[in-house]
Amino acid sequence: MPEATETADRPTALTTLGDALARAGAESITGQREQLAAGLLRASLKQWENAEARPQLLADLTAAITDEAGAERMRAFMSAQSSQIFSQLGKALGLSQTLDINEVAEILNVPPLHINAAQAQVWGMVILRYILRLEPIASASSDELVDLLGPTIQRYLVG
């Protein structure tokens, strides 16, 4: 079966991750904004801890780091103009239009660069934990990581 058909028939690991992040973001933006970073981190870690999703997520991340086509897919997942995450966030918020990083930054009342800084924190943790398997971050609990990284990410996203 061609890859395009497979992708259309079932969600990819990145799509599932994007959906989880969009739901967590929407819940925090419309509810308890002080839980935004914790909700996003927990949603991300839950996907990365999923034994079925992790191999595909690792393949996508490795491809993003090692070749231009993989990097383009990752940019499409999280970039300013075509972000899957931000368009899914718009849907989760019940908006008729999709959002981009600038519109999400406006909703959060932070510069777009702060969103990239938050992304860098999460992707750095992912690389250390799941690719390099660097201790002690590799064996830290999800709660420990949320407690450690949450305040910094929260500062980026809420100010």
Side-chain angles (χ1 to χ4, degrees):
M1 179 184 297
E3 185 177 323
T5 304
E6 287 179 23
T7 302
D9 290 345
R10 64 179 171 77
T12 67
L14 279 179
T15 301
T16 302
L17 176 60
D19 285 339
L21 292 172
R23 281 192 308 276
E27 288 172 11
S28 294
I29 289 171
T30 60
Q32 297 180 345
R33 182 147 312 168
E34 66 274 5
Q35 295 299 312
L36 180 58
L40 292 170
L41 279 168
R42 287 187 195 290
S44 181
L45 286 163
K46 183 177 179 181
Q47 294 305 309
W48 280 96
E49 293 297 322
N50 179 320
E52 291 179 21
R54 188 181 316 144
Q56 184 59 54
L57 289 169
L58 286 170
D60 290 336
L61 179 56
T62 302
I65 294 170
T66 59
D67 71 66
E68 184 55 34
E72 183 57 39
R73 281 191 304 275
M74 192 60 74
R75 280 191 293 272
F77 176 68
M78 57 192 252
S79 76
Q81 297 306 314
S82 60
S83 169
Q84 180 181 343
I85 294 173
F86 300 137
S87 64
Q88 289 169 281
L89 176 60
K91 291 177 190 170
L93 288 170
L95 302 174
S96 59
Q97 82 277 7
T98 60
L99 300 174
D100 66 23
I101 192 171
N102 297 311
E103 293 163 325
V104 172
E106 191 172 307
I107 289 169
L108 294 174
N109 198 30
V110 298
L113 183 59
H114 285 210
I115 294 172
N116 282 159
Q119 291 169 326
Q121 289 286 310
V122 175
W123 288 107
M125 178 269 302
V126 164
I127 289 169
L128 293 177
R129 183 174 173 90
Y130 300 105
I131 292 180
L132 298 178
R133 297 184 192 137
L134 185 65
E135 291 296 343
I137 201 167
S139 59
S141 72
S142 293
D143 287 338
E144 288 175 298
L145 294 173
V146 170
D147 289 346
L148 177 65
L149 299 173
T152 298
I153 294 170
Q154 185 72 13
R155 183 179 61 81
Y156 289 142
L157 296 178
V158 178

